[in-house]
Amino acid sequence: MNAELLQTFLDRHGADPARWPAHERATVEGLIAGDPEARRAFGKALRLDAALGGYGAAAPDDAALARLTAKLNGPLPAQKRPFWRLPAVLLDWQFAPAWPRMAALACCAVLGFAIGLTGVDRKFDTQTTAVTSSNAAASVFESEPFPGVQP
């Protein structure tokens, strides 16, 4: 066993010889006794074990556990409710990606109704050709050209 394997061994099993495997204990003890670098690694492992040994050693207090359990088993705090419930439901995160598209569609529908009611599309007239709804329908359904237009 070399110093690198000893370091891995100490990292795995710790510095307490009682936790070491019995078939490797004599080899490791002989290496620590004969090699100064192995003694330094063993010293570091002892200091680490001593530092880690203090953590988690205290037993939990029964009174503290009872207080904690009582607090966790108690009623939940009151939840806040919004004043206006309907907008909170409509603007929920599930509908968030859809509302801008729905608003744009509604604006287009209102604009289309406004154009249809005012008759803006039927008032187009030039000096050469008058476009009316009857001429547009005739161009779609009849094979003859517009009246008055020479091909």
Side-chain angles (χ1 to χ4, degrees), residues 56-65:
D61 183 23
D62 291 335
L65 285 175

Side-chain angles (χ1 to χ4, degrees), residues 23-106:
H23 64 279
E24 293 182 1
R25 186 175 303 148
T27 308
V28 173
E29 287 174 345
L31 182 63
I32 291 171
D35 188 11
E37 187 176 334
R39 277 193 294 273
R40 278 194 296 272
F42 182 67
K44 286 181 185 178
L46 282 173
R47 285 191 298 275
L48 180 63
D49 279 358
L52 292 176
Y55 291 108
D61 183 23
D62 291 335
L65 285 175
R67 284 192 311 268
L68 180 65
T69 307
K71 191 168 218 156
L72 290 175
N73 288 335
L76 292 174
Q79 302 294 315
K80 292 183 179 180
R81 295 196 178 243
F83 182 71
W84 297 99
R85 294 211 30 101
L86 186 61
V89 170
L90 291 178
L91 296 177
D92 194 15
W93 66 271
Q94 296 171 356
F95 296 111
W99 77 263
R101 292 180 292 217
M102 292 175 9
L105 182 62

Side-chain angles (χ1 to χ4, degrees), residues 1-10 27-28 30-32 35 37-39 41-42:
M1 182 177 283
N2 59 12
E4 186 176 322
L5 290 175
L6 176 68
Q7 185 63 47
T8 305
F9 180 83
L10 292 172
T27 308
V28 173
L31 182 63
I32 291 171
D35 188 11
E37 187 176 334
R39 277 193 294 273
F42 182 67

